[in-house]
Amino acid sequence: MIIAQQKRKENMAEYLLYMWQVEDIMRACNLDIDIIERNVIAQYQVDDDTRAQMREWWESLIKMMELENVKESGHLQINKNVIIRLTDLHLQLVKNDKYPAYGADYYRTLPFIVELRAKHGNVEDAAGELETCFNALYGMLLLKLQGKEVSKETETAMAQISHFLGLLSAYYVKYEADELELD
């Protein structure tokens, strides 16, 4: 909860990846709040009120996972909405002449997106380009956590994708603060 709130304010890409981790943590804990309490919440040195808020936050996410039928796979609607909002902003930025640096960075990233989609057979997938980027970064995170090696080409692609999503996240912060001139 604490990390999610901080990331939500500062970097939507990191927030989304964090929330995907939260979904996986809940699954690993069998959506059992007591297991989450022992293995996650107890790791934080916080006061009792904050600990109670954290437990409520995790419990509400568990309920959402159950209601939305994503107990075994898939993503919560709140996380899907992040991608929808980022995609809306992305499309506005790409077509807006006031942000040529963003468009240039997107077009530097696009070949990697196309290659990833082709490799995974989802060129026509409705997931979209941004979700492809997030899936790639999350996959890389999981590989690193498992101590697995990644090729130099993959590292190059992930660095560009990460840079691109970081740029989009920075624009999102400005968008939320109503500091962008969009048509």
Side-chain angles (χ1 to χ4, degrees):
M1 174 189 92
I2 295 167
I3 295 171
Q5 289 172 339
Q6 179 183 352
K7 290 190 178 296
R8 174 92 174 65
K9 289 179 196 168
E10 297 171 3
N11 187 314
M12 286 302 282
E14 288 182 9
Y15 167 77
L16 183 62
L17 293 170
Y18 177 77
M19 289 303 294
W20 283 4
Q21 279 185 292
V22 165
E23 291 170 340
D24 282 345
I25 288 168
M26 289 188 292
R27 290 181 185 113
C29 293
N30 298 314
L31 303 179
D32 184 325
I33 190 62
D34 294 325
I35 295 172
I36 292 169
E37 175 87 46
R38 282 192 308 272
N39 294 307
V40 180
I41 300 170
Q43 307 306 310
Y44 290 87
Q45 304 300 317
V46 294
D47 60 63
D48 290 341
D49 286 342
T50 304
R51 187 171 310 286
Q53 289 173 2
M54 291 173 75
R55 184 179 173 99
E56 283 180 34
W57 183 76
W58 284 91
E59 285 176 324
S60 69
L61 291 174
I62 289 169
K63 287 177 186 163
M64 281 187 243
M65 289 186 78
E66 291 170 344
L67 289 171
E68 295 176 24
N69 200 25
V70 292
K71 294 182 282 188
E72 294 178 24
S73 65
H75 298 295
L76 289 166
Q77 188 61 48
I78 59 171
N79 296 332
K80 291 177 185 178
N81 291 346
V82 171
I83 291 179
I84 291 167
R85 286 193 304 273
L86 287 172
T87 299
D88 288 345
L89 177 59
H90 161 71
L91 294 172
Q92 290 180 64
L93 289 168
V94 167
K95 69 180 182 180
N96 194 313
D97 293 337
K98 294 175 185 151
Y99 304 101
Y102 180 83
D105 203 58
Y106 165 65
Y107 288 111
R108 276 191 296 278
T109 309
L110 190 56
F112 298 115
I113 297 169
V114 171
E115 184 177 345
L116 281 166
R117 294 178 83 168
K119 276 184 182 178
H120 299 294
N122 63 350
V123 177
E124 299 299 323
D125 187 3
E129 294 173 346
L130 291 183
E131 190 165 354
T132 297
C133 292
F134 281 108
N135 285 333
L137 287 180
Y138 193 68
M140 176 72 116
L141 172 68
L142 294 178
L143 289 174
K144 285 186 177 184
L145 289 173
Q146 296 168 7
K148 295 189 178 174
E149 297 263 337
V150 243
S151 71
K152 200 68 160 162
E153 295 82 14
T154 299
E155 285 183 9
T156 300
M158 293 304 105
Q160 178 58 42
I161 289 170
S162 180
H163 180 269
F164 167 64
L165 290 177
L167 183 60
L168 177 58
S169 291
Y171 276 110
Y172 189 83
V173 169
K174 290 179 181 180
Y175 175 74
E176 287 280 290
D178 203 26
E179 296 173 0
L180 291 181
E181 295 180 36
L182 299 171
D183 298 331

